[in-house]
Amino acid sequence: MISGNTTAEKTGGADQSSSHQTKIENTERVPAAVLQAQAWPAWRQWLKLPPPMVRLRTAHWWNVANRVRQLQGIEGLAFPPGRKAGIFKGSTVMWDHLAQHSPSIDRSIYRGRTFIGGQVGRSRVTNPHGALAVATRVADFDFDITEIDGICNSQSEDRVFDSVQDFGRDYVAYEQASVDAAGLEMMIRHREVRLIHSPGADTLMLQAWDGRLFVCNGGGSHHLAGAAYIAREIGESLPLRARLSLDWLNAPAWHWLIETFFILQVPQAYRGLGDIAVLTGAAYLIELPNWVSQSSLLLLPRHVPVSRDVVELHLKAGLREVAEDIESLLSRQAAMLATLGQRFPVLCPWLGQIPR
C-alpha cells in the first residue's frame, strides 16, 4: 500500500466535459482493467453503455495513449551505466546528486498526482528507507599518488585516456621530462598540485557503483598525472592525505521503489501525470539530475492492474522499464564494495556499514 500526502485539484481528473457524457462506441482497444465491464450493471452490459466513471477513465486512457504515441522514436534515454569511458568527471555518473545534501530538499520524497474522490490532486510519497544515494564523509583518508584513478577537472577533458597513467605518460612525453626522481620532483613542485602544496584544498571522491578514486581538483591535472605516472614507473611511493566523499547507492531505498512501483524511464519534460492518475490512482516522477541523465523516472503503483497496461503503452512507444537496470547497477555496487575493501582496507569500517 502506498501512503502519501495529497492536495486536491479540481482539474482534469474530474473533467465533466460533454465528451465524457456520451456513449463511447469504440471500446475494443481499451484494456479490460480500464473498462472493468464485469462491475457494470447488467442493463449497461447488455446495451454496452459504459457508466460515467468508465467513460471518464476511457477518455483519460486515450489522452495517455495519444501523448505516449508522440514519444515514439525519442532518443537519448539509455539507462545510465555504472561508468563511462575516460578518466575525467564526464566519465562518472553522478548518482550522488540524489543524496540528502541539504535539509531544505528531502530526497526521500517523490511528487506526483493521485486520483481520490473524483478529483486529481497534487501528492507526494515518501521512501521509508531515505534518499536513493548517500554521501559518507571520511575526514582523513590516506592513499598513494599511484592509486588515483581519475581527475575531475582538466583542460584536456575533451580527450579520452584509458587511465591516469596514460594521461601522465602523454604529458611527460610532451614536456620531455625524465622518468626518474628528478622528473618526479619537477612534477610535484608545480604549485597547482594542491594535494601537496595546499592540503585541504582538493578533495577525493569514491563512488561505490564506479569503484574509481577521483581527485576533485581545482587545477594541476597534468602535473598530478605526470607525477603519478613517473612514481609508478620508478617504483616510488608518494603518500598523500585528503578528505574523501564515499558515495553509495542506498540499496534498500531502491529495492522498496522496485517492489512498490513499475519504473519507466521517460523524457525529462514528461507531462500527463493527472491522466495516468485517473487510471492508476497515483503516478509519481523522479527528475534525475543532469549529471545522471537528462530523463526522469515515472513511478506507477504495482498493485493496480491497469498500471501494467499503462506500462505496455510506454514500452510499445520505445520507452523502457528499468527495474532490471537498477538491479544490475546495485549488483555492480555490491561486487565493487568487496573489491574496494581489499584495495583500501582502511575504508572497511565505512564500507561495512553500506547495505547490500
Side-chain angles (χ1 to χ4, degrees), residues 293-345:
S293 170
Q294 292 187 349
S295 63
S296 297
L297 300 180
L298 173 62
L299 311 179
L300 305 178
R302 280 189 177 273
H303 69 279
V304 179
V306 75
S307 289
R308 184 72 254 180
D309 295 297
V310 177
V311 169
E312 288 298 328
L313 269 183
H314 288 76
L315 297 183
K316 289 177 182 177
L319 301 177
R320 299 182 62 248
E321 190 178 355
V322 295
E324 290 185 3
D325 299 275
I326 294 169
E327 292 284 13
S328 177
L329 188 63
L330 293 174
S331 296
R332 174 186 172 85
Q333 173 175 277
M336 195 64 69
L337 289 172
T339 301
L340 290 173
Q342 297 173 358
R343 183 181 175 192
F344 302 114

Side-chain angles (χ1 to χ4, degrees), residues 23 37 40-50:
K23 179 179 178 180
W40 301 3
W43 68 271
R44 283 189 177 275
Q45 294 186 39
W46 184 70
L47 292 175
K48 296 184 179 180
L49 182 66

Side-chain angles (χ1 to χ4, degrees), residues 1 3 50 86 94 98 114 148 206 215 231 247 301:
M1 185 70 180
S3 60
M94 305 293 283
L98 292 173
T114 52
I148 296 173
L206 182 58
V215 176
D247 306 326

Side-chain angles (χ1 to χ4, degrees), residues 226-267:
Y229 166 68
I230 294 174
R232 182 182 293 274
E233 288 295 301
I234 66 176
E236 185 72 24
S237 177
L238 185 57
L240 298 169
R241 173 178 291 180
R243 287 181 293 119
L244 170 71
S245 178
L246 175 60
D247 306 326
W248 42 279
L249 296 169
N250 185 0
W254 283 103
H255 285 143
W256 177 84
L257 208 62
I258 292 170
E259 292 165 4
T260 309
F261 299 101
F262 292 109
I263 307 174
L264 290 159
Q265 189 178 14
V266 295

Side-chain angles (χ1 to χ4, degrees), residues 97-119:
H97 282 228
L98 292 173
Q100 189 67 51
H101 292 296
S102 169
S104 63
I105 302 176
D106 191 339
R107 293 294 186 182
S108 66
I109 292 177
Y110 318 129
R111 302 185 187 280
R113 297 288 188 273
T114 52
F115 184 63
I116 299 174
Q119 292 185 334

